[in-house]
Amino acid sequence: MSTTMTTTMGIERPSGRTLPELLYLLQFGDSALPVGGFSFSNGLESAIQEGLVDGPATLRAYTETSMWQAATGDGVAVICAHRAAQAGDIDALKHIDRLVFERKLNEETRLMTVRMGRKLCELSSVIIADGATRDWFERIKSGDTPGTHPVSLAITLAALGANRQDAFGVHQYGVATAVLSAALRLMRISFVDTQKILLDVTAQVAPAYARVTDATIDEMASFAPMIDILAAVHVKGHVRMFMN
């Protein structure tokens, strides 16, 4: 049976992925996936405490900035790691993993990426019948590699047959939902507002992918100094709900 997509005119056109691949994306893009993302706010807690985010407009701007920072940083790592995973290049995966870890500027961000990466790989090594995820989890446990979240995500989705664009999209969706779900617990904002923001910001994922799709791992970089500063401020916070 061919994989198709129904248009508003009732005509079906190919979607570019199989139905199982679509469902895999929904599962691993779900904020309920138990890898610990709910414990982190991507610096939003400090932004709200400092008065930089105080409503839907500023929350949308913050979410877009977080996603762009992720696209040019961890998003590039996802693309490169997916390519390496498909090639079975363990040395390249370890190199990418180390570079991701070294580019985290503060303690909580480093902790976030390795905690989520380890938990994701632990989960996928059990539920996916694939040797690559199990091997990577063993390398994380042995200390052979840090086990950052972008690399674990790329290995997992490559094992499930998802392509690089889809892996990038899942990562971007995860960043957006992490910020917006944290907002619901930190500020006066409705589910309608956050869902509207999510619909708007996800429209920017395809253009972001087009800009970084050919980037090499050495081009992985991001420039969002205010978010980095807010994350650093959060480390010293006395009252807080989130790790980051």
Side-chain angles (χ1 to χ4, degrees):
M1 184 176 70
S2 62
T3 303
T4 55
M5 182 176 182
T6 305
T7 69
T8 55
M9 299 298 293
I11 301 172
E12 293 186 327
R13 57 184 174 81
S15 70
R17 65 175 64 88
T18 66
L19 184 56
E21 287 172 348
L22 173 61
L23 298 178
Y24 297 149
L25 298 182
L26 294 177
Q27 179 175 356
F28 284 90
D30 192 336
S31 59
L33 190 71
V35 298
F38 61 86
S39 299
F40 301 93
S41 72
N42 281 22
L44 180 66
E45 187 167 12
S46 294
I48 291 172
Q49 290 172 351
E50 298 297 326
L52 299 175
V53 174
D54 57 5
T58 49
L59 177 60
R60 173 176 172 164
Y62 191 91
T63 305
E64 288 180 333
T65 301
S66 297
M67 292 174 68
W68 179 245
Q69 181 189 43
T72 58
D74 286 356
V76 172
V78 169
I79 293 170
C80 293
H82 187 284
R83 188 179 296 116
Q86 286 189 316
D89 191 339
I90 298 299
D91 288 339
L93 286 169
K94 290 168 59 177
H95 178 63
I96 295 165
D97 199 37
R98 175 58 59 181
L99 290 180
V100 172
F101 183 77
E102 290 174 349
R103 278 166 171 74
K104 301 304 176 185
L105 299 181
N106 64 76
E107 178 184 351
E108 287 185 349
T109 306
R110 289 192 296 272
L111 178 61
M112 176 185 72
T113 194
V114 295
R115 182 176 290 180
M116 290 180 62
R118 181 187 178 102
K119 195 65 180 177
L120 174 59
C121 220
E122 180 181 15
L123 175 68
S124 59
S125 68
V126 173
I127 67 175
I128 300 173
D130 180 81
T133 55
R134 289 193 295 270
D135 175 73
W136 192 248
F137 183 50
E138 291 301 321
R139 291 179 184 277
I140 294 172
K141 289 196 297 181
S142 70
D144 186 39
T145 194
T148 62
H149 180 254
V151 176
S152 292
L153 180 65
I155 293 170
T156 297
L157 292 179
L160 290 169
N163 62 31
R164 285 190 291 278
Q165 177 177 272
D166 291 339
F168 178 87
V170 169
H171 185 262
Q172 285 277 282
Y173 184 80
V175 173
T177 55
V179 172
L180 295 173
S181 64
L184 288 168
R185 289 173 278 174
L186 290 169
M187 59 189 293
R188 291 181 178 273
I189 195 164
S190 72
F191 283 100
V192 174
D193 288 328
T194 56
Q195 289 302 308
K196 176 62 167 62
I197 292 170
L198 182 61
L199 190 65
D200 290 343
V201 297
T202 51
Q204 304 302 316
V205 174
Y209 177 75
R211 291 189 63 174
V212 302
T213 183
D214 295 322
T216 67
I217 193 59
D218 291 330
E219 295 174 296
M220 177 177 58
S222 60
F223 185 75
M226 184 56 68
I227 289 181
D228 290 330
I229 291 170
L230 289 168
V233 167
H234 190 267
V235 174
K236 302 295 184 180
H238 295 292
V239 179
R240 58 188 188 179
M241 292 177 59
F242 294 88
M243 284 292 300
N244 171 275

